[in-house]
Amino acid sequence: MSTPAVSAREAEVLTLLGEHLSNAEIAARLFISVRTVESHVSSLLRKLELPDRRALSRRAGERRSLTAPALPAPLTAFVGRTRERAELAAALREHRQVTAVGPGGVGKTRLALAVAADLGGEFADGVWFVDLVPVTDPARVGAAVAAALGVGEQPGRGIDEAAAAALEDRRALLVLDNCEQVREGVAPFVERLLAACPRLRVLLTSRARLTVPFERVFPVPPLSRDGGGGSDAVALFLERAAAVGLSPGPAQQERVVALCDRLGGMALAIELAAARLPSLGLDGLTAGLSDQLRVLSGGSRADDRHRSVRAVLDWSHELLAPEDRALLRRVSVFVVPFTADAAAEVAGVAPLERARVAEGLARLAEQSLLVVTSAGDGTRYQALETIRQYGGHRLDEAGERDGVRSRHTAWCLAAATALGEGEGPDWRARFDAVADDLRSALAWAATRPDHRAEARRLALSLAGLAFTRTLLGEAQERYEQAAGLTGDEAGSVGGARDRAEALRQAAAVAGCRRLGDDMLRLLRTAAEAARAAGDTAGAGRDLAAAATVAYRFSSTFAQVPPRDEVTALLTRARELSGADPEAEAAVELAVAAVVTDAFGSVQGDTDNTVSETVEQAGLAVRLARRTGDPVAESAALDALSGARSWDGDPFGAASAARQRLDVLASAPPGPAAAHELMDALAMAAGTAVGTGRLPEARRWGRRLAEHPLLAEVGHHATSWLLVADAFAGHGEEVLTGGARFLDAWERSGRPRSFSLGPAAAAVAAVHGLRGDHDARSSWLAVVGRAGNAPEHRHGYGAVLDAVVLLHEGDADAALERVAPEPEEVWKWVSWVWLHWYVAVRAEAAVLAGHPSARARIDAARGTVAGNPVATAQVDRAEALLTGDLSRLLAAGEALEAAGSPYQAARTLLLAGGTHPAAGRSALAGLGLGPGAGRVG
């Protein structure tokens, strides 16, 4: 059943829904009636089979961010198979997963591409094609699909889950080509994908079926030879013969029919034979193939179709010059298109001269044994998978596999080194062009004891490159693989040290992925490796880091480590550290985290005094600074920032957070620095909000939102930018960012985090300021699932709810929302929200006519001193209390200068007289509603 087509006008409406416009706004933008918009919305819901308007908005965003590319365009025309095309298309319409099965060379890929093109219009979200030939590890099937989709993994979720999330509610067709070598990876991946994506269809091509219950098998037969000269097989031969400049006449038709019959109708065999027609003629083809088939007739191969392809390949191989035979078998080690220079490095040894490799590649291409493609960096060559496997067999027969594989591994190491040293706008494409060869070489070298050193070097290089490419899951995997490749050297100090360092890097990548459990595991394993190397101080440092991680990043753990376990780690770390400066700094930071709870962790001890926490964090900073390690100093400054916030010193907390960014500017690039920088940007943005430095908060928040490692996790990336924009009053920016936040949060499994609740509450508040109560209610439901209930009730939620209530003119309700004294809710307001809480509390008291208004203004003034926005709000409250219009307008000017245009506009509403009109105009420019003037 095909999806009804979306009209051009409906597509325009859908796009504007993605911008979160109301029906009235869409009507005005498109110059149509609101009733017509409603009709289009209803039609879109029906056609796209979506439940509500919100789902339509999400779909609009997805259409902008994920567009199916064009299917691969074969260089030659597709011939025949009318019946098979119709039957395979019918099978896909009826079944969600179909496997086109047949031997190599029968034409499975071409048939799949033809059917995918035929069905393209029936899938609203497009057709996606993934060639699995380069994939040598079954565990990387999901990564290959994700790469084709253009999505990356999300911290806390694997790459397979990211691929499934991208296709979750799409009506799409996914074509997985050449599945046979990774069937054990394809089967479970496809099963999970189909379960997660109810509107998805999957077409596989494979030499063997998956043997799973949900599979529908479609055997791909050889080309039909029925009808003699009018058969599909003969038509293919004649078409390919015409392409090389020869067309057998009617008198030769019977011989062409006989030849195609000898070849069993196998498409690849027919194409290879036709390519030889100019040099051998029909007589030579017939004679040569007759000899080959006679030689093979007594063999043990059971399938005549396999035998016919092997016959043609053997025959084509024997016609090659010795140096071209060597070239064909040697380039079979490349799994992706390769250049002539790469082939010369790997294949250019006797009997083949390096200088003649390019000529040999051209000859092989002329004989259809290689496919030529044009790329941005020049001409590339590739063997079809059947021919590549044939070349591999010939490589084994010649006894050259180890030598060629060794040279291929050396070439891969050089390519990886060049990538590691280079950069530029084409870096990503250059990595993608060789990545699968790097993985293939690593898989081979890792199994060869005499190549373990090269394997380890390649694993480390690939880990770093994958990290730069934001393939974080693979980066962690490769660092751990590199650590494992030093296993034979466990008795050597150097080997154990290398193992420990690789594990530390893996732990840092796990941190970027928000996998606290992995961080803890890897740091503990690194400590074991350091002890095996005799590096007790290093072991102590690793255990101290593990203890710190358990508390500092407690919200990223699936299972929060219990306090006694972490305390034991800290005790052992102190025993091992000795007088080593780096280890001592790490231990004191762990004390700040675990003993004095500087980070306010889930399992922290609430009995610590604030002075102890500040003192311990300060000690950790001093010791870390002496080590000269920017990452260590930044982590200690984070503890100090947290301690100062507990001490009621938001300016001190913000200063420490800003220092982290200055310190990290000198940190060498790598996973540890990247993890630290993302955290530092978040803390800098949050503390800037807390001190009323809104332009600064937006600047740090925007840097965080644009960080490449957060591309797939828009909820974490945009969280602080949403908060800063909401407090400033940039309504349109919040709605745009909110769409990215919501989509990413839902695709990530709806996690909870200390920053996600405030972000969702900020979007809810903007909807409230727009007067859209339904949208606000929806977002408040998100707050309940994304954040911490007490924080929302007493902290950021109280502030933002009160702001909305004051905007609506309900000062009494606002006063009730912030009724508790600050010291009663200190735990929830101390970090970011204290100044906002006391300022809005003072204003609510004034507007509600509460007798405590003067006392609240006086108390707030001492608290917010130095915060430009909160100070101006308190000044405004006092001006309202005393009726001082000039002071009220001056407060509005101060709010505008401080980067809070919403509060500046609201001041005009409160001023009365001729000012509210200007205030309402300013609010409209911000994408907000009119609000209420002075009440009470």
Side-chain angles (χ1 to χ4, degrees), residues 448-755:
R448 310 286 300 188
D450 52 335
H451 287 279
R452 286 179 72 88
E454 292 98 322
R456 182 181 177 280
R457 286 170 51 208
L458 191 51
L460 286 173
S461 292
L462 188 51
L465 295 171
F467 184 81
T468 302
R469 181 61 174 80
T470 67
L471 301 174
L472 303 190
E474 182 174 10
Q476 181 181 331
E477 175 190 350
R478 299 306 177 192
Y479 278 124
E480 292 195 56
Q481 184 178 16
L485 288 168
T486 63
D488 288 346
E489 305 173 30
S492 103
V493 172
R497 284 182 183 273
D498 289 345
R499 174 177 167 78
E501 183 55 33
L503 289 165
R504 291 172 191 133
Q505 296 281 13
V509 179
C512 295
R513 301 176 69 199
R514 299 182 63 83
L515 298 178
D517 304 81
D518 275 8
M519 288 185 75
L520 184 61
R521 169 182 62 82
L522 290 163
L523 286 169
R524 296 178 76 163
T525 309
E528 294 172 7
R531 286 197 64 198
D535 182 11
T536 56
R541 187 173 66 249
D542 291 330
L543 290 178
T548 299
V549 160
Y551 272 55
R552 185 183 179 197
F553 302 112
S554 57
S555 64
T556 67
F557 280 77
Q559 185 67 44
V560 178
R563 179 177 176 81
D564 55 353
E565 177 185 330
V566 180
T567 302
L569 287 176
L570 177 56
T571 300
R572 185 59 176 149
R574 194 186 294 278
E575 294 170 353
L576 294 171
S577 295
D580 180 82
E582 292 184 2
E584 183 183 5
V587 167
E588 295 305 329
L589 176 59
V591 171
V594 178
V595 179
T596 65
D597 193 28
F599 299 108
S601 65
V602 173
Q603 69 274 51
D605 187 346
T606 58
D607 294 334
N608 305 311
T609 65
V610 171
S611 60
E612 289 174 344
T613 306
V614 173
E615 182 179 353
Q616 182 61 40
L619 173 62
V621 170
R622 292 192 296 275
L623 293 176
R625 190 166 292 152
R626 292 175 190 171
T627 69
D629 180 354
V631 172
E633 185 176 349
S634 172
L637 283 167
D638 190 27
L640 181 60
S641 181
R644 285 175 173 170
S645 71
W646 291 121
D647 195 29
D649 180 11
F651 297 105
S655 175
R658 287 194 301 272
Q659 286 181 60
R660 295 179 64 190
L661 296 173
D662 295 336
V663 166
L664 288 171
S666 64
H675 182 214
E676 194 66 31
L677 177 61
M678 288 189 291
D679 184 75
L681 286 170
M683 295 303 101
T687 54
V689 169
T691 54
R693 303 298 197 268
L694 294 181
E696 185 178 302
R698 297 181 72 215
R699 184 166 69 253
W700 302 136
R702 189 170 291 108
R703 275 189 61 186
L704 183 67
E706 294 171 354
H707 197 290
L709 294 186
L710 295 175
E712 299 296 328
V713 280
H715 49 313
H716 288 295
T718 62
S719 57
W720 284 111
L721 182 58
L722 288 172
V723 171
D725 275 340
F727 274 96
H730 298 288
E732 295 293 346
E733 287 87 340
V734 171
L735 296 186
T736 300
R740 179 184 174 191
F741 175 98
L742 184 61
D743 180 66
W745 177 70
E746 291 183 336
R747 292 185 181 280
S748 293
R750 301 180 176 182
R752 289 183 184 272
S753 172
F754 76 93
S755 64

Side-chain angles (χ1 to χ4, degrees), residues 158-241:
I159 194 72
D160 289 15
E161 293 174 287
L167 295 168
E168 184 177 26
D169 53 5
R170 294 181 182 277
R171 183 179 292 279
L173 173 63
L174 177 66
V175 182
L176 299 181
D177 193 33
N178 294 297
C179 297
E180 55 273 353
Q181 81 278 10
V182 284
R183 277 192 306 157
E184 60 270 37
V186 171
F189 173 76
V190 170
E191 183 171 11
R192 292 191 299 270
L193 196 64
L194 292 173
C197 310
R199 289 149 42 97
L200 180 71
R201 305 262 162 163
V202 180
L203 171 60
L204 310 179
T205 74
S206 178
R207 297 190 182 194
R209 64 191 185 93
L210 298 184
T211 64
V212 291
F214 55 83
E215 178 182 37
R216 175 75 173 191
V217 176
F218 182 87
V220 179
L223 287 165
S224 171
R225 280 106 66 205
D226 296 339
S231 70
D232 286 351
V234 171
L236 178 64
F237 183 90
L238 293 176
E239 197 279 337
R240 298 300 187 256

Side-chain angles (χ1 to χ4, degrees), residues 58-67 169-170 743 747:
R58 285 185 55 202
R59 172 59 61 84
E62 290 164 357
R63 285 177 179 271
R64 289 194 300 271
S65 63
L66 191 64
T67 303
D169 53 5
R170 294 181 182 277
D743 180 66
R747 292 185 181 280

Side-chain angles (χ1 to χ4, degrees), residues 52-84:
D52 52 34
R53 184 188 184 93
R54 179 173 155 193
L56 281 174
S57 297
R58 285 185 55 202
R59 172 59 61 84
E62 290 164 357
R63 285 177 179 271
R64 289 194 300 271
S65 63
L66 191 64
T67 303
L71 290 169
L75 299 178
T76 54
F78 185 81
V79 177
R81 292 205 184 274
T82 302
R83 179 180 58 81
E84 292 95 325

Side-chain angles (χ1 to χ4, degrees), residues 60-368:
E62 290 164 357
R63 285 177 179 271
R64 289 194 300 271
S65 63
L66 191 64
T67 303
L71 290 169
L75 299 178
T76 54
F78 185 81
V79 177
R81 292 205 184 274
T82 302
R83 179 180 58 81
E84 292 95 325
R85 286 175 78 163
E87 290 179 354
L88 181 54
L92 270 170
R93 291 188 182 101
E94 186 175 351
H95 304 280
R96 295 191 59 210
Q97 192 270 303
V98 179
T99 304
V101 174
V106 77
K108 301 183 296 297
T109 298
R110 293 297 299 270
L111 177 61
L113 283 171
V115 171
D118 292 342
L119 295 178
E122 299 182 18
F123 293 93
D125 296 305
V127 180
W128 302 81
F129 180 85
V130 185
D131 185 2
L132 296 180
V133 164
V135 181
T136 55
D137 181 357
R140 292 198 56 76
V141 170
V145 173
L149 295 171
V151 300
E153 68 175 281
Q154 301 171 349
R157 307 181 82 196
I159 194 72
D160 289 15
E161 293 174 287
L167 295 168
E168 184 177 26
D169 53 5
R170 294 181 182 277
R171 183 179 292 279
L173 173 63
L174 177 66
V175 182
L176 299 181
D177 193 33
N178 294 297
C179 297
E180 55 273 353
Q181 81 278 10
V182 284
R183 277 192 306 157
E184 60 270 37
V186 171
F189 173 76
V190 170
E191 183 171 11
R192 292 191 299 270
L193 196 64
L194 292 173
C197 310
R199 289 149 42 97
L200 180 71
R201 305 262 162 163
V202 180
L203 171 60
L204 310 179
T205 74
S206 178
R207 297 190 182 194
R209 64 191 185 93
L210 298 184
T211 64
V212 291
F214 55 83
E215 178 182 37
R216 175 75 173 191
V217 176
F218 182 87
V220 179
L223 287 165
S224 171
R225 280 106 66 205
D226 296 339
S231 70
D232 286 351
V234 171
L236 178 64
F237 183 90
L238 293 176
E239 197 279 337
R240 298 300 187 256
V244 296
L246 290 178
S247 298
Q252 297 173 303
Q253 186 177 77
E254 289 186 11
R255 298 170 68 185
V256 173
V257 171
L259 180 65
C260 291
D261 193 55
R262 285 179 178 273
L263 297 176
M266 295 297 284
L268 177 60
I270 291 171
E271 293 191 349
L272 290 172
R276 284 288 186 178
L277 188 61
S279 58
L280 295 177
L282 202 53
D283 291 341
L285 282 176
T286 302
L289 289 173
S290 295
D291 289 342
Q292 283 292 326
L293 291 172
R294 186 169 58 251
V295 168
L296 292 173
S297 63
S300 59
R301 299 175 68 85
D303 192 329
D304 289 339
R305 291 172 294 175
H306 278 98
R307 190 156 63 236
S308 65
V309 173
R310 177 62 188 253
V312 173
L313 289 173
D314 282 339
W315 168 73
S316 295
H317 181 265
E318 293 306 315
L319 292 174
L320 297 174
E323 59 268 27
D324 289 349
R325 295 180 201 169
L327 181 58
L328 181 64
R329 64 179 178 260
R330 291 171 183 175
V331 297
S332 68
V333 297
F334 289 101
V335 295
V336 291
F338 55 89
T339 63
D341 287 341
E345 291 287 336
V346 174
V349 297
L352 179 61
E353 297 178 17
R354 285 173 57 97
R356 303 192 64 184
V357 166
E359 298 172 17
L361 293 172
R363 286 192 295 271
L364 293 175
E366 289 172 1
Q367 295 157 29
S368 296

